[in-house]
Amino acid sequence: MTAHALDELLADGVRGRHVLVRSDLNVPLDGEVPSLKVADDGRIRASLPVIRKLAEAGARVLVMAHLGRPKGAPEEKYSLRPAYERLKELATFTVKFADDTVGESARTLAAGLADGEVLVLENVRFDPRETSKDDAERGAFAAELAALTGENGAYVDDAFGAVHRKHASVFDIAAKLPSYQGDLVRTEVEVLNRLTDVPQRPYVVVLGGSKVSDKLAVIENLMGKADYILVGGGMVFTFLAAQGYKVGSSLLEGDQLDTVRGYLARAKEAGCSFLLPTDIVVAEKFAANAAHEVVPANDMESSSFGSAGIGLDIGPASQELFAQQIHSANTVFWNGPMGVFEFEAFADGTRAVAKALTGSEGFTVVGGGDSAAAVRALGFDDTAFGHISTGGGASLEYLEGKALPGLTALDRS
C-alpha cells in the first residue's frame, strides 16, 4: 500500500478544516534561557513549504514538533518558542503559539483558528506519552492530538527527521486521522531510493563523524551498492588501527576492530573499495588553539606529540585524494564531517569534501545531521548541493534497509 500524497488532501479541499502537521523544528539554538535564538534555520525553512501550501489553501494548520531530548516534562531550554519566532519571521501568514501541546492553551487556540492561520504547539516531548514504550499510552496521547482537529481533521507527516521513531506524533497519530505524506518526506524517500535502488555509477559514499559503531549497519548495506567508501572523521582511527597502525590518543573503538577488519577483507568481493586518508592532522590536545602537525596516516605517532597526539582532521593530501574521487563520481552520498569542523584549524577536511560536492557534475546528497550543519556553518549555500537531507539518523536507517515506523504508518493508513 502506498502512502497518500499531500496533493490528494489538497484536491479534496482543506478550507475550514484543521490539519495536524508533524514538522521537523528540531533546530540548534544559541544563547541562554530566556534569550535563546535559532542558530541554523535549515529545518524550519524546509518545513515551511508544506505549511504555506496548506495555509494558502485555507486550512487551519496545527504544527507539532519536538526539540531536543526533554525527559517528558516542560523545560524552558527545550521550548519550541524560538523555532516558532523564526517561523513567524519567515511566514507570510498568521502564526500563533500554544504554551502546551494538548492542554487548555492548545485547545482554545486551535478552536479559534481562522482559515489560513497556523498554530505551533509546544514541544510534544514535554508529554511523556509521546515517547512511551507503552502502545496504549502513546495511543491515548495521539487521540488527544487528533481531537484538536475536530470532526473533519487530517494528518500530514512532513518530518522526515523523525520518521525512524515509533512516537505518538509520528506513528500512532496516523491511525487516528486520514493521513498523508508531506512533500518533504516524499522528496527524501525519492532521493534515498536513488541511492539504494539503481544509483548512477560510479557511486561514492563519504562517511565521517565520531564513531564507526554509528555507521556499521549502513556500511554493511552499502558495501554491495557503492563503488567506493571514503572514510574520515573520528571513525577513521578504528580503520587505521584495524590495519595495525598506531593512532596515538585519537578516538578508537577497540571493540569494533574485528568488524572493521572483516569489512576491509570483504570489500573487494563486494565490488567496493575503501579509501582511507593518507595523512592526518594531529593535535597536541582537543582544543581550538591546539598546536598541530600533519603526519602520515600510517605513522601518526611520528608527530612531536608522540603517543599523546590526537587526530582531529584529515590532511591536505587526503583532501585532494577525496576530492578527486568525488569529482569522478556520478552519485555521491556524504554523511559525517571529516574532522572537528567547529574548530577552524581542523575544518579544512570537511570544507574540502563540501567544496568537492558543490563542484561535482553528479547527483550529490548531504545526509543531514552534522553534515548539514557543517556545510551551513562553513558558508556553503544549500542550493549548491543536489539534496541536503533533513534527517541524519532517519537517512542512515533508511540506507541500512530498515523499515521506518513513520513511513510504515502512512502506508497502512
Side-chain angles (χ1 to χ4, degrees), residues 104-129:
E104 182 178 352
S105 176
R107 293 194 300 268
T108 301
L109 289 170
L113 280 182
D115 294 357
E117 291 187 339
V118 174
L119 174 65
V120 177
L121 306 176
E122 184 55 285
N123 193 333
V124 289
R125 290 189 182 177
F126 284 177
D127 192 308
R129 297 173 295 174

Side-chain angles (χ1 to χ4, degrees), residues 92-229:
T92 54
F93 41 80
T94 299
V95 186
K96 301 177 180 180
F97 185 73
D99 292 325
D100 53 33
T101 305
V102 291
E104 182 178 352
S105 176
R107 293 194 300 268
T108 301
L109 289 170
L113 280 182
D115 294 357
E117 291 187 339
V118 174
L119 174 65
V120 177
L121 306 176
E122 184 55 285
N123 193 333
V124 289
R125 290 189 182 177
F126 284 177
D127 192 308
R129 297 173 295 174
E130 164 69 4
T131 59
S132 174
K133 302 297 183 184
D134 186 294
D135 293 349
E137 290 182 356
R138 289 196 321 276
F141 183 44
E144 290 180 37
L145 288 166
L148 296 174
T149 68
E151 295 182 357
N152 193 28
Y155 166 67
V156 176
D157 189 349
D158 203 41
F160 183 75
V163 295
H164 58 316
R165 305 297 187 191
K166 192 176 182 180
H167 292 170
S169 68
V170 177
F171 179 77
D172 303 87
I173 188 67
K176 308 295 183 183
L177 292 168
S179 299
Y180 302 84
Q181 190 177 73
D183 294 345
L184 186 152
V185 170
R186 185 163 292 264
T187 298
E188 294 273 12
V189 172
E190 289 172 352
V191 166
L192 291 171
N193 282 339
R194 287 182 65 175
L195 297 178
T196 53
D197 291 349
V198 189
Q200 192 172 357
R201 299 186 180 282
Y203 178 16
V204 169
V205 173
V206 187
L207 296 178
S210 299
K211 296 181 178 180
V212 70
S213 56
D214 293 338
K215 305 289 196 303
L216 291 178
V218 75
I219 293 172
E220 183 78 39
N221 202 38
L222 289 180
M223 262 203 308
K225 298 180 172 68
D227 296 297
Y228 297 92
I229 297 179

Side-chain angles (χ1 to χ4, degrees), residues 299-345:
D299 194 15
M300 286 178 56
E301 295 188 3
S302 65
S303 78
S304 57
F305 318 121
S307 61
I310 177 172
L312 296 184
D313 197 9
I314 62 173
S318 302
Q319 295 165 25
E320 185 175 343
L321 179 67
F322 281 22
Q324 290 174 351
Q325 201 67 58
I326 290 167
H327 286 148
S328 72
N330 282 318
T331 304
V332 185
F333 171 71
W334 172 34
N335 183 278
M338 296 293 99
V340 186
F341 73 90
E342 297 90 347
F343 298 160
E344 179 55 35

